[in-house]
């Protein structure tokens, strides 16, 4: 099995950031949440207060002002072309994408790309999360939860934060 990080690895850019701006453009009411997002970002990234999961849950509150489940379909119609060509060439049906991006955002790719997705469990209606953000050691935990004895042939990522998962790969 090949395992891939998603954002900036097989997708040009950050899918979550692109989706947030997609929602800002299509649902002006979401812009009312910008001060909250800025405050949460400063609190977490500047003052190192709180957890990444807590930060993201605050950030995702803008989802209350849109219809994320339906918007995701429109988002991928426009953004599927951002999947990098190298991935399309080497794709295998047993490929696994494991990402900190929201699961509701990446799940539609399972059918479109014939892959399996493990991602952060975020409720698209209100931005609440279930469990920890799928990041760092949490990626290993979630991988082993779904594939207790699986062997990773090759692992691809653009981030040192994926080192715990990379150590599982041949």
């Amino acid at each position: 099995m090949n395992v891939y990080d998603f954002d900036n690895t097989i997708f040009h850019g950050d899918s979550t950031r692109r989706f947030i701006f997609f929602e800002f453009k299509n649902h002006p009411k979401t812009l009312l949440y910008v001060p909250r997002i800025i405050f949460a970002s400063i609190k977490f990234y500047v003052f190192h207060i709180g957890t990444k999961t807590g930060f993201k849950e605050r950030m995702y509150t803008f989802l209350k002002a849109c219809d994320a489940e339906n918007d995701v379909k429109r988002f991928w119609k426009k953004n599927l072309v951002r999947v990098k060509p190298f991935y399309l060439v080497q794709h295998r049906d047993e490929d696994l994408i494991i990402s900190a991006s929201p699961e509701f955002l990446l799940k539609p790719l399972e059918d479109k790309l014939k892959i399996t997705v493990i991602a952060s469990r975020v409720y698209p209606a209100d931005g609440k999360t279930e469990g920890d953000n799928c990041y760092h050691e949490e990626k290993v935990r979630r991988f082993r939860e779904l594939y207790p004895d699986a062997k990773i042939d090759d692992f691809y990522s653009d981030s040192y934060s994926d080192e715990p998962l990379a150590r599982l790969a041949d």
Side-chain angles (χ1 to χ4, degrees):
M1 148 187 316
N2 289 336
V3 178
Y4 298 83
D5 177 43
F6 187 70
D7 296 313
N8 295 309
T9 300
I10 68 167
F11 183 80
H12 282 289
D14 184 297
S15 61
T16 302
R17 184 176 300 121
R18 292 190 72 78
F19 182 70
I20 289 169
F21 284 101
F22 177 86
E23 293 298 72
F24 286 168
K25 180 180 175 189
N26 290 289
H27 300 282
K29 280 187 175 180
T30 57
L31 294 170
L32 296 172
Y33 291 85
V34 170
R36 176 183 279 235
I37 293 169
I38 291 170
F39 179 75
S41 298
I42 292 169
K43 183 179 170 185
F44 181 70
Y45 287 107
V46 175
F47 295 108
H48 307 287
I49 298 171
T51 65
K52 190 164 212 140
T53 301
F55 156 69
K56 285 199 167 185
E57 194 168 74
R58 279 217 163 83
M59 180 182 71
Y60 291 133
T61 58
F62 79 90
L63 293 170
K64 296 175 186 177
C66 54
D67 183 5
E69 282 188 278
N70 284 317
D71 293 344
V72 165
K73 296 171 191 159
R74 290 186 306 118
F75 175 81
W76 284 118
K77 281 183 185 174
K78 183 177 180 180
N79 286 278
L80 194 59
V81 298
R82 297 185 68 80
V83 173
K84 295 179 180 181
F86 92 87
Y87 176 70
L88 299 174
V89 169
Q90 69 187 43
H91 167 270
R92 296 190 325 203
D93 288 345
E94 67 272 8
D95 285 350
L96 172 69
I97 303 297
I98 187 159
S99 175
S101 290
E103 186 177 73
F104 76 83
L105 180 60
L106 300 187
K107 272 293 187 183
L109 297 177
E110 287 186 327
D111 290 333
K112 293 180 184 313
L113 297 177
K114 306 293 185 247
I115 56 168
T116 300
V117 168
I118 296 175
S120 297
R121 296 177 183 127
V122 177
Y123 294 103
D126 60 9
K128 298 278 187 212
T129 60
E130 178 187 323
D132 288 331
N133 185 49
C134 192
Y135 174 81
H136 202 260
E137 290 287 346
E138 181 65 9
K139 284 188 176 185
V140 173
R141 192 191 72 69
R142 296 277 307 280
F143 175 76
R144 286 294 176 217
E145 182 179 278
L146 195 58
Y147 300 100
D149 301 316
K151 178 178 161 269
I152 299 175
D153 297 315
D154 292 304
F155 177 71
Y156 300 85
S157 176
D158 69 308
S159 175
Y160 287 116
S161 69
D162 286 331
E163 185 180 353
L165 193 56
R167 279 190 248 121
L168 299 180
D170 286 344

